[in-house]
Amino acid sequence: MSASLPETCDPFSSVAPLVHPLRRQTTVGAKVGHVQVGGGAPIVVQSMTNTDTADVDGTVEQVAALAKAGSELVRITVDRDDAAAAVPKIRERLDRLGVDVPLVGDFHYIGHKLLADHPACAEALAKYRINPGNVGFKEKRDKQFGAIIEMALKYEKAVRIGVNWGSLDQALLTQLMNKNADEGSPLSANAVMREAMVQSALHSAEEAQRIGLGKDQIILSAKVSDVQQLISVYADLAARSDYALHLGLTEAGMGSKGIVASSAALGILLQQGIGDTIRISLTPEPGGDRTREVQVAQELLQVMGFRSFVPIVAACPGCGRTTSTVFQELAEKIQGQLRANMPTWREKYEGVADLKVAVMGCIVNGPGESKHADIGISLPGTGEAPAAPVFIDGKKAVTLRGAHIAEEFEGLVQSYVERRYGEKVDAAQ
């Protein structure tokens, strides 16, 4: 006999209610240059260079590449005098190239001194990132933290107070650990660590406001490298404040591991409405493309429905019915074509990022999936007739045959974009 639940018992009462993917927690917006973070603005994608900032040419090249890929904020390391002296030169070069992406200065240990000694650097940056765990120690901490805040006030800059569990304020952590040990029901070490991170961020933000910084100049972050810990610490931070929040899984790792870990952690937080700006911190392969982290961040926001960056290509994974690689090659070509064209299309065609393209490999799901897309093609599978019907706006428009199906379909996509989105531009004018 199976056990039954009492009528008054809800078996799902402990499950948190689903949050609509477009619902966001209300935060106070902060301006970083011309980009708003929080306050209802779209979730901002940011990245960070891995060049030596003192290398002006190399840093300008990488910042420009990240901005072209879609990074709306770019953080650069400012760790010594040579780097600080290079910042205004980098800003000037970027401006001449027409790259207006705001630069964020990443300061550790001697940020107060570098900002004071290099006023042109302080002016050129749009935001200062400081870590309360290493801004200073013991009696120097408050003085040096205050000096950076004073510079932000002087130059009207935003500040990100970024707590990291690898460099957490040890005095605060020790204090909380000792207090926890004296409690009758002590918390776990991880719970105390999370509390220390939240307190460090909030106390530092409150101190910055006491000095005079506005709440609309403050962004908080609290990064760890463990997925579950990250979710918990940001949930605590969001529940106890309305500061704009920057999300990121620190030391996420390389390749698929870094992508999966970051997407899992940030995806859950975004689904809960938490987060105003994100970075996917990927370790690049040797000689790898730094812009990969921008692409992953954009794809995460797009598949979750928060923003549109590049038209989506739906393509089947392949099976025994698709032993030909034609559909795989076509899907890759179309995706590449869309990404290559987007910088131009984005300027010319409003709404083109919402375009949906389907490249399917056989008759099973091909026609149906293609009909759901704005424009789609169903390629012949193994043993099927060598014909590829193309569907436009849900209706069969033409059937392609022969050796140049890929090129012909690419041309149809281009024509569709010009016709559909060009008409919107013409109507607006």
Side-chain angles (χ1 to χ4, degrees):
M1 179 176 179
S2 62
S4 60
L5 293 169
E7 292 184 358
T8 56
C9 178
D10 178 2
F12 302 107
S13 60
S14 62
V15 179
L18 290 176
V19 178
H20 189 279
L22 296 182
R23 185 178 300 163
R24 305 265 305 282
Q25 291 197 13
T26 302
T27 58
V28 176
K31 291 297 290 288
V32 182
H34 60 81
V35 176
Q36 178 165 319
V37 176
I43 298 167
V44 173
V45 172
Q46 62 179 283
S47 59
M48 184 175 184
T49 60
N50 61 356
T51 58
D52 179 356
T53 304
D55 175 7
V56 174
D57 291 342
T59 303
V60 167
E61 181 180 0
Q62 191 171 94
V63 170
L66 290 166
K68 183 179 179 181
S71 184
E72 293 155 307
L73 300 175
V74 176
R75 182 157 50 111
I76 59 177
T77 298
V78 188
D79 58 344
R80 64 191 194 280
D81 286 307
D82 287 349
V87 171
K89 299 174 185 177
I90 293 167
R91 179 72 273 167
E92 182 182 354
R93 288 271 298 278
L94 290 170
D95 290 341
R96 289 206 305 265
L97 292 171
V99 180
D100 64 349
V101 63
L103 296 178
V104 179
D106 193 53
F107 294 100
H108 296 278
Y109 305 108
I110 58 171
H112 62 290
K113 184 176 185 302
L114 293 175
L115 287 168
D117 292 347
H118 298 273
C121 168
E123 178 64 39
L125 295 168
K127 182 175 72 173
Y128 310 152
R129 187 272 187 178
I130 55 178
N131 183 340
N134 59 33
V135 72
F137 303 100
K138 296 184 178 179
E139 67 278 357
K140 292 183 178 180
R141 180 192 178 281
D142 291 344
K143 181 180 179 181
Q144 293 175 181
F145 177 83
I148 296 176
I149 300 303
E150 292 286 357
M151 295 298 288
L153 282 168
K154 179 178 179 179
Y155 292 102
E156 299 181 340
K157 306 298 181 179
V159 171
R160 171 156 73 93
I161 296 172
V163 182
N164 190 300
W165 76 344
S167 52
L168 189 57
D169 183 338
Q170 291 303 302
L172 174 61
L173 181 59
T174 300
Q175 176 187 341
L176 291 178
M177 284 289 188
N178 291 338
K179 181 179 178 181
N180 181 63
D182 294 335
E183 298 289 337
S185 301
L187 301 173
S188 68
N190 279 335
V192 177
M193 182 274 296
R194 293 197 303 269
E195 177 62 21
M197 293 187 70
V198 172
Q199 285 196 25
S200 178
L202 294 180
H203 290 172
S204 297
E206 290 164 3
E207 177 62 13
Q209 284 191 259
R210 188 194 65 76
I211 295 170
L213 202 65
K215 203 170 193 178
D216 60 353
Q217 293 175 274
I218 298 173
I219 299 169
L220 300 184
S221 67
K223 293 187 176 183
V224 303
S225 59
D226 179 271
V227 170
Q228 296 294 346
Q229 296 294 335
L230 188 86
I231 294 167
S232 295
V233 76
Y234 270 103
D236 289 346
L237 190 57
R240 291 158 63 174
S241 76
D242 60 354
Y243 293 103
L245 296 179
H246 166 70
L247 303 186
L249 185 75
T250 191
E251 286 90 42
M254 301 178 72
S256 61
K257 185 269 178 183
I259 293 172
V260 170
S262 292
S263 298
L266 271 59
I268 290 172
L269 290 167
L270 291 168
Q271 183 72 13
Q272 294 174 351
I274 298 170
D276 300 293
T277 176
I278 67 170
R279 181 193 173 201
I280 304 294
S281 301
L282 297 180
T283 304
E285 305 289 342
D289 188 351
R290 190 66 168 181
T291 64
R292 178 65 171 145
E293 65 178 48
V294 179
Q295 181 182 340
V296 173
Q298 290 180 330
E299 290 175 351
L300 175 62
L301 292 176
Q302 183 150 341
V303 298
M304 293 192 70
F306 285 101
R307 294 185 65 181
S308 295
F309 297 96
V310 177
I312 292 175
V313 177
C316 66
C319 66
R321 300 178 64 94
T322 58
T323 52
S324 168
T325 61
V326 173
F327 86 95
Q328 298 168 344
E329 293 165 356
L330 180 55
E332 185 177 33
K333 283 183 179 180
I334 293 297
Q335 186 71 71
Q337 176 196 33
L338 295 174
R339 283 201 170 272
N341 285 328
M342 273 309 293
T344 301
W345 284 358
R346 192 178 290 114
E347 296 295 325
K348 293 177 62 176
Y349 306 121
E350 182 181 354
V352 70
D354 295 319
L355 176 70
K356 293 179 175 58
V357 180
V359 181
M360 304 303 293
C362 76
I363 199 172
V364 175
N365 291 321
E369 190 71 40
S370 297
K371 289 178 183 178
H372 288 299
D374 295 314
I375 179 169
I377 187 170
S378 179
L379 294 164
T382 305
E384 296 178 17
V390 175
F391 297 83
I392 297 176
D393 294 330
K395 297 179 181 179
K396 183 178 176 181
V398 66
T399 298
L400 304 180
R401 294 181 173 85
H404 301 288
I405 289 176
E407 291 77 9
E408 292 178 26
F409 184 66
E410 287 180 28
L412 288 172
V413 173
Q414 178 72 39
S415 298
Y416 180 82
V417 168
E418 293 172 355
R419 176 178 59 80
R420 175 175 174 180
Y421 297 98
E423 288 175 353
K424 290 183 179 181
V425 173
D426 294 339
Q429 294 174 344

